[in-house]
DNA sequence: CGAGTTTGTCAAGCATGCTTGACTAAAATT
DNA sequence: AATTTTAGTCAAGCATGCTTGACAAACTCG
């Protein structure tokens, strides 16, 4: 970092309007924080599960499914609608989670075409235990940064999400 | 939702411990909010630029570079270090941004090997203007959810990021 | 019953955002 | 001067998380 270099005459680059635009471009601070946090949070949360390296692992995309699952079971199409992605994409996620015995598909008694997707109530589902453990992770972080801040974060994110959903997709 | 199905004797599935684990697994609320917000924010922010469909576009990964750029220019290796990714990955991002005339590479006068990466002060850089416009997007969202909440969000995310960075990579 | 819709699946493909490995040229170290 | 380190690049590859298209079986409606 030995910036012993030259600055002859001019003080580098004065250009004021340029610098302003530039600072603007750099200033996506909340968005940047959001990204980094999301990335790190996912990363570390999943690292906690320390799953076998070779076998199919639970990946970030999988976790997004859980909050949309009803206890009684939810249809694939409904899941796709809630997640805002294609049925096929959900199907793949469910396939993998089923293989890991985290979820299970049962035929919908009220519709022969449909299947209900729900948590497997399989006793050996240690992965599900691991997932539950992830809730703890959040609690820990809450302790670390303070419950109040965590609550504010929850509130702010909720509002932000509402604002975002309110504009984009229309 | 017409749950006309069978419930003989038992009220569905009483299994209390199971349900608790399950709710835990579903309860990654802050993390889920974080993800959705990050995704939507990126999506909508970039949609604002409405760039030509055929040509190389600015993608989410690009924007993560800007906050780490010094005005005087920053070396690729330093950028890679700050971003926590490989030099090659940064190189590719810079390549693309250079092609779009958003950034430029200039030889580092103090080191013949190195190049300084900085914003192109090219007059026709309408893309940079567009990027600056993204700052406005955040401001707008701030107005929508309230400046106070936005500040709380900023604070909370900062703390969360610090907590996350403090544990993981060690 | 027959037309049309809906549910889930099979298959293939693609954009993104990285990675690792090998290499050149310039600098620093000895 | 010889060796080692550092800066950047070239090339290839891969995991992730989707997509679109086509389809069979089951349901709904006329």
């Amino acid at each position: 970092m030995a910036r012993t270099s030259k600055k002859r005459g001019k003080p580098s680059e004065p250009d004021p309007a340029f610098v302003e635009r530039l600072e603007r471009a750099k200033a996506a601070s909340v968005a940047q924080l959001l990204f980094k946090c999301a990335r790190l949070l996912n990363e570390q949360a999943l690292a906690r599960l320390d799953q076998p390296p070779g076998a199919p692992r639970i990946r970030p995309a999988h976790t997004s499914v859980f909050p949309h699952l009803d206890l009684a079971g939810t249809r694939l199409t409904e899941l796709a609608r809630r997640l805002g992605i294609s049925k096929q994409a959900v199907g793949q996620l469910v396939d993998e989670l089923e293989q890991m015995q985290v979820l299970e598909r049962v035929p919908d008694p009220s519709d022969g075409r449909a299947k209900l997707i729900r948590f497997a109530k399989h006793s050996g589902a240690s992965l599900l235990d691991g997932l539950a453990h992830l809730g703890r992770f959040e609690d820990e972080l809450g302790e670390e940064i303070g419950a109040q801040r965590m609550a504010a974060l929850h509130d702010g994110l909720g509002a932000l999400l509402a604002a975002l959903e309110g504009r984009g997709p229309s």
Side-chain angles (χ1 to χ4, degrees), chain A residues 58-124:
Chain A
I58 293 193
R59 284 176 282 102
H62 292 130
T63 66
S64 62
V65 174
F66 301 138
H68 299 290
L69 277 175
D70 300 320
L71 276 180
T74 308
R75 289 188 187 175
L76 190 110
T77 304
E78 174 64 14
L79 273 181
R81 196 193 56 74
R82 292 183 191 173
L83 285 163
I85 60 177
S86 67
K87 290 186 298 176
Q88 293 91 324
V90 177
Q92 190 175 306
L93 293 176
V94 173
D95 280 348
E96 293 163 355
L97 286 167
E98 196 175 22
Q99 221 178 310
M100 296 182 250
Q101 298 181 330
V102 173
L103 299 184
E104 63 182 1
R105 269 181 252 234
V106 295
D108 186 334
S110 72
D111 189 331
R113 300 166 299 179
K115 296 172 189 172
L116 293 175
I117 294 149
R118 65 184 189 193
F119 285 98
K121 46 173 165 296
H122 177 272
S123 58

Side-chain angles (χ1 to χ4, degrees), chain A residues 18-64:
Chain A
F18 174 68
V19 171
E20 192 203 321
R21 274 190 310 172
L22 198 148
E23 288 302 331
R24 268 283 192 216
K26 290 179 58 172
S29 50
V30 169
Q32 290 302 330
L33 283 173
L34 209 53
F35 287 146
K36 277 201 166 173
C37 281
R39 180 177 159 187
L40 282 173
L41 192 55
N42 234 339
E43 219 168 75
Q44 298 191 15
L46 290 177
R48 290 209 152 198
L49 292 179
D50 71 350
Q51 311 173 75
R57 309 169 332 278
I58 293 193
R59 284 176 282 102
H62 292 130
T63 66
S64 62

